[in-house]
Amino acid sequence: MKILLTLALLFTAIVAKAQNDNYLSDLSALRSLLQKTPSYKAQIQGSELISYNELYKSLATDTAGDLSNYEQFFKLSHLLFLIRDNHLGFYQTPVFSHFKDSVSINNYIASEEFQLYPKVELNIDSLKNELMQKHADSTEGIYHYGNSYIVGLFRSSEKEYLGVVVDSNVKFWQKGQIAVRLYQSGPSTYKAVYGHPVQKYFTFQNNEKLRNQTLLNSQFYAYGAYNQYSKQQYQKDYVNIPIKESKFELKRVAADMQYLMIRSFQINETTRQQSQAFYESIKDSLTAANVILDLRNNEGGAPKEMLKYFKLLKSYSKKGNIYVLLNNETLSQAEIFTLKLMRLKNTTTAGQTTKGMLSYGSNYGKRVTLPSGRYTLYITDTQNKRQFLAYEDYGIEPAIELEHKSDWVGQIIERIREKNQIVPEASLMKRD
C-alpha cells in the first residue's frame, strides 16, 4: 500500500511537472510571437517594456501546483493585456469543432474535456437569488445569453469577476460551469475570457465594455445568432442590425431623405461582387438633400472597397447632408472610413461609440499554435496611420448619442425634420 501511494504521488508530480513545462514553453513562445507584431514594437517601449518584462517574470514564476488548462490560458492571456491591438486573437485550440446533433453533444458531455471544464463549488440557487437583488447598473447580476443559458456574474476578487451558469436550456452548459471571467482594466471596461457559447473553447477578449447592462463584445464567431450577455432579456435590439439583413441597401425614407446601408468592405469573392453590383446601381442615385449612412455592424475589410464609397460620398457632401450611424460593431476599415467622412463638411455622426479596432490588421490571417498544441494566436502584421492609435480600444465617439430603446433610423429622421422644421408626409411615413 505504501509503495502504491509512493508511486501515485510520483506520477502526480511527473504530470504536474509536465504541465508546468508546457505552460512555460507556451509562455515563452507567446512572448516571442507578440514581440514580432507591429503593435508590440510600437507600444512596448521604455517604462512599458519594464512593466512588460516584470509581468513576464511574474507569470513565469507562478507555476505552483497543478495549473489547469483554464488557469494556464488565463495567465497566458495576461501577455496581451498591455498591448492595444484588437485585431490580435487568442483562443484555446478547439478539441470539439462542432455540435451537429444529439450524438455529438452526448459524446462531448461524456468526454474528459467536459468533465474537466472549469466550474465552481457553490450553492448555485443561493448565488442566483443573491445576484437577482443587485442594482441593474451593477457589474454583478444575472445575464442572459439569448435563450440558451443564464449566467450569474459576481466579484471574485478586487478586480476580477466570475460568471457561472445558474440555469441552462442546453445540455453542454451545466450549472456551476464558468462561462465568463472578467478582469477590470478601467471604468466599465475589462479583459475577458469567455467559453464559446457552443464549442466551449476558451477565447480572450482584450477590450470588453459594459454598456446599457450588456457586455458589448460577447458575441462570437461560428455562432448563428447575434447574442450578447445582457441583463435585458426579450428587449428589442435597436442598436444592432439583425444578422440576416442584407449587407447593402439604398431606399428613400422621406421626400428629402435616403437611407444607405453598407455593412462590409470585405473582398471575398461573394461580398466583393455584391458590393460592386450595388455600387454601380447607386453611384448616380444619391439625390435627396439628406443621406442617412448606416455603418452599424460594418465588419470592415479592404481600403480599396472602402475608398470607392468614400469618393462617392465626398462628392455628395458638396450638395447634401450625411448622417452616419455608428455602433460598437462598426470596426476596423469602417472606423477609418468614419474618420475620413468626419473631415467632410455637412457630415454628422450619431449612435454609439465604435469598437476601437483600427490601428492594426492582418494581411494573411496567420494563426500559430503554441508548443503544447492547446492554444492559438491570431497574428497581426500591418500597422495603419499612427494617429489611429488614439482610437484603439476607445473607439470613435459620435456627435449625437442615440437612445437605445427606440429605432435609430427613426430618431435620425425626427432630428432632420426638427432641424429643417419639416412636416412629415403621410405617404412617406411608412417605412419598408
Side-chain angles (χ1 to χ4, degrees):
M1 184 70 178
K2 183 177 180 180
I3 294 173
L4 290 176
L5 179 59
T6 302
L7 289 174
L9 291 173
L10 178 61
F11 176 75
T12 301
I14 292 171
V15 170
K17 183 179 185 303
Q19 289 183 324
N20 287 339
D21 287 346
N22 284 334
Y23 165 70
L24 291 174
S25 296
D26 285 346
L27 186 69
S28 176
L30 181 57
R31 179 175 69 164
S32 295
L33 290 166
L34 291 172
Q35 286 174 330
K36 298 173 184 177
T37 62
S39 49
Y40 179 97
K41 293 176 181 177
Q43 298 173 36
I44 308 302
Q45 302 175 4
S47 60
E48 287 79 10
L49 179 58
I50 294 172
S51 296
Y52 198 87
N53 288 337
E54 289 176 349
L55 171 65
Y56 180 83
K57 183 178 179 181
S58 173
L59 293 171
T61 56
D62 189 8
T63 58
D66 181 9
L67 291 177
S68 67
N69 285 356
Y70 184 68
E71 287 300 326
Q72 287 189 32
F73 182 80
F74 186 67
K75 290 180 183 299
L76 290 168
S77 297
H78 281 63
L79 286 184
L80 286 80
F81 277 20
L82 300 181
I83 304 173
R84 289 165 53 208
D85 181 353
N86 291 307
H87 276 85
L88 280 173
F90 185 53
Y91 56 93
Q92 181 188 28
T93 310
V95 176
F96 288 81
S97 62
H98 208 71
F99 294 149
K100 300 176 182 177
D101 48 36
S102 59
V103 174
S104 59
I105 292 172
N106 288 336
N107 287 340
Y108 169 68
I109 292 172
S111 72
E112 183 181 33
E113 190 77 13
F114 181 81
Q115 301 304 319
L116 295 177
Y117 199 87
K119 63 186 302 182
V120 297
E121 298 297 334
L122 295 172
N123 186 315
I124 299 302
D125 292 335
S126 296
L127 175 66
K128 181 181 178 182
N129 290 333
E130 180 181 342
L131 292 174
M132 288 176 68
Q133 311 306 315
K134 297 292 182 179
H135 191 278
D137 292 329
S138 168
T139 301
E140 294 183 297
I142 299 297
Y143 291 77
H144 301 264
Y145 199 83
N147 295 318
S148 297
Y149 55 94
I150 300 172
V151 161
L153 189 67
F154 64 94
R155 185 188 293 272
S156 57
S157 66
E158 182 182 358
K159 286 193 172 184
E160 289 190 34
Y161 295 82
L162 284 182
V164 303
V165 176
V166 295
D167 274 311
S168 178
N169 293 319
V170 291
K171 292 176 69 175
F172 46 83
W173 280 107
Q174 294 187 354
K175 285 186 177 184
Q177 290 186 327
I178 300 174
V180 181
R181 188 169 181 175
L182 303 180
Y183 181 91
Q184 188 156 13
S185 55
S188 299
T189 58
Y190 309 87
K191 311 295 183 181
V193 169
Y194 291 112
H196 190 281
V198 175
Q199 298 176 11
K200 295 289 287 287
Y201 61 83
F202 315 135
T203 183
F204 175 64
Q205 171 53 249
N206 202 25
N207 185 29
E208 187 55 275
K209 305 170 185 176
L210 180 61
R211 305 286 187 272
N212 301 323
Q213 302 165 26
T214 300
L215 292 167
L216 296 184
N217 293 320
S218 60
Q219 69 280 346
F220 305 89
Y221 294 114
Y223 189 72
Y226 190 94
N227 284 327
Q228 300 161 296
Y229 286 105
S230 180
K231 294 183 179 183
Q232 302 175 17
Q233 191 182 26
Y234 305 130
Q235 187 173 87
K236 185 173 176 62
D237 183 3
Y238 294 106
V239 175
N240 295 286
I241 297 176
I243 198 168
K244 293 183 179 180
E245 286 286 318
S246 62
K247 291 186 176 181
F248 308 97
E249 183 179 13
L250 176 66
K251 63 183 177 183
R252 189 171 290 271
V253 291
D256 64 337
M257 301 179 213
Q258 288 173 288
Y259 170 83
L260 172 62
M261 178 173 66
I262 305 172
R263 290 184 59 189
S264 182
F265 300 123
Q266 295 292 317
I267 55 173
N268 62 73
E269 192 63 20
T270 300
T271 303
R272 186 187 62 78
Q273 289 179 359
Q274 289 176 352
S275 176
Q276 187 60 33
F278 175 72
Y279 173 80
E280 293 295 334
S281 73
I282 69 154
K283 63 182 182 181
D284 298 316
S285 301
L286 301 183
T287 57
N290 304 281
V291 165
I292 301 169
L293 172 62
D294 200 338
L295 295 181
R296 288 177 294 170
N297 299 82
N298 186 302
E299 61 191 344
K304 183 178 179 180
E305 280 297 299
M306 176 271 285
L307 285 171
K308 68 185 181 187
Y309 289 108
F310 174 71
K311 291 176 181 178
L312 175 64
L313 288 161
K314 181 180 180 180
S315 177
Y316 169 82
S317 70
K318 297 174 182 178
K319 60 183 179 181
N321 303 305
I322 304 172
Y323 295 85
V324 187
L325 285 180
L326 308 169
N327 69 357
N328 183 70
E329 291 307 301
T330 305
L331 55 88
S332 193
Q333 198 63 228
E335 293 179 281
I336 296 173
F337 184 37
T338 299
L339 290 175
K340 292 177 70 68
L341 291 170
M342 288 168 63
R343 293 199 294 266
L344 303 177
K345 67 176 184 177
N346 303 325
T347 298
T348 303
T349 55
Q352 181 186 62
T353 302
T354 62
K355 192 160 195 172
M357 187 178 169
L358 66 165
S359 293
Y360 304 96
S362 175
N363 279 325
Y364 307 108
K366 185 177 180 181
R367 292 170 170 81
V368 178
T369 301
L370 299 187
S372 70
R374 293 196 292 253
Y375 315 112
T376 300
L377 180 69
Y378 178 88
I379 297 176
T380 51
D381 52 38
T382 63
Q383 181 171 343
N384 293 317
K385 293 180 179 179
R386 190 171 182 84
Q387 59 263 38
F388 293 162
L389 186 58
Y391 301 97
E392 192 76 10
D393 279 359
Y394 308 111
I396 302 164
E397 292 187 11
I400 301 170
E401 185 174 347
L402 297 179
E403 165 58 49
H404 69 281
K405 294 183 179 179
S406 63
D407 180 72
W408 278 19
V409 177
Q411 290 183 58
I412 290 298
I413 290 173
E414 290 307 311
R415 282 180 176 270
I416 295 171
R417 287 192 177 122
E418 290 171 4
K419 178 181 177 181
N420 299 316
Q421 297 182 338
I422 299 171
V423 177
E425 297 179 38
S427 61
L428 292 168
M429 280 295 289
K430 185 177 180 181
R431 296 178 53 217
D432 296 344

